[in-house]
Amino acid sequence: MTRPDPPRDQPEAPANPGRTLHPWDEIPPALLKPAHAYAAQRDWPGYFAAVAGKGPRETLIEALRLWGDRPPGFAVDLAAGEGRDAAELVRRGWRVLAIDGHPQAIARMAARVDVPDWSRLRTVQAMMEDAPLPECDLLNASFALPFCLPHRFAELWERIVSAVRPGGWFCGQLFGDRDTWAALPDRSHQTREQAMEMLARFDIAQFNEEDKDGADAHHHPKHWHVYHVVARKR
Ligand SMILES: C[S@@+](CC[C@H](N)C(=O)[O-])C[C@H]1O[C@@H](n2cnc3c(N)ncnc32)[C@H](O)[C@@H]1O
């Protein structure tokens, strides 16, 4: 893609009446809820506003550490959101295809100021259930896969496994059956055994199971049951 808009660097609209106003400029930061409260409702503009400015996910950082000194490859960032991981990959010299279903995710990626080489980042607005997944050296799916429609999940996972080249990496999260959101009919969650079975064609470098209650100052309780995965395809 080519970058459509200059970065947002003007603080006051009246000082620059010609600037582009993005939808996310209208969410007052003081009113933001925690990110998961938006994700629970699939309120993606709210989610993007809540996570704006956050750094890359730890599972991606670990996969990149394990990639080592080899030249950067080609990565797919599935349900990339506002691009926190895609930007990190590009900064480290990777070529990236970032896929997300929401138009604001794509617009926010285009507005990022921390992508040093736009020739290495391509963004595509598409649903993960339908998006073609090209062969890649790394497939990153950070907090993404539970949002796949359950009846499409098995087929999506099969396409993910096929897309990762032998010796390439999968990193991201799978969500467990004890997570609060597992009760929602449009979510895809797995038991630990199912998750392990899904990873049968991988050597697992990290499988950190998080199983804990969360609550915050805004009183949005959530039980987290998440597998943080970094795995290398055989
Ligand atoms: C919880 S956010 C995670 C975003 C990003 N990967 C991160 O780590 O912050 C989930 C993302 O999935 C996207 N999404 C949800 N359902 C989707 C679908 N069926 N196909 C493609 N993207 C989807 C949303 O637009 C959102 O950007």
Side-chain angles (χ1 to χ4, degrees), residues 25-144:
D25 289 326
E26 290 156 22
I27 300 175
L31 295 182
L32 283 175
K33 294 178 277 185
H36 69 77
Y38 296 105
Q41 311 293 327
R42 292 181 181 263
D43 174 355
W44 300 123
Y47 177 87
F48 301 144
V51 300
K54 300 223 185 250
R57 301 288 187 181
E58 286 175 17
T59 38
L60 174 65
I61 295 299
E62 178 62 3
L64 291 173
R65 188 186 72 77
L66 292 166
W67 182 261
D69 292 337
R70 283 180 291 161
F74 171 60
V76 172
D77 189 2
L78 192 59
E82 38 70 71
R84 59 198 289 178
D85 290 344
E88 177 70 10
L89 282 158
V90 175
R91 281 196 292 274
R92 294 189 187 213
W94 286 67
R95 288 179 302 111
V96 182
L97 171 64
I99 300 170
D100 200 279
H102 199 284
Q104 197 184 106
I106 306 300
R108 278 185 175 265
M109 277 191 265
R112 290 191 76 105
V113 295
D114 56 351
V115 176
D117 183 349
W118 287 90
S119 69
R120 290 204 297 266
L121 176 61
R122 191 157 72 87
T123 59
V124 170
Q125 187 189 336
M127 301 309 280
M128 64 177 111
E129 291 87 347
D130 301 317
L133 300 178
E135 269 193 16
C136 57
D137 303 299
L138 185 151
L139 195 142
N140 182 60
S142 291
F143 293 87

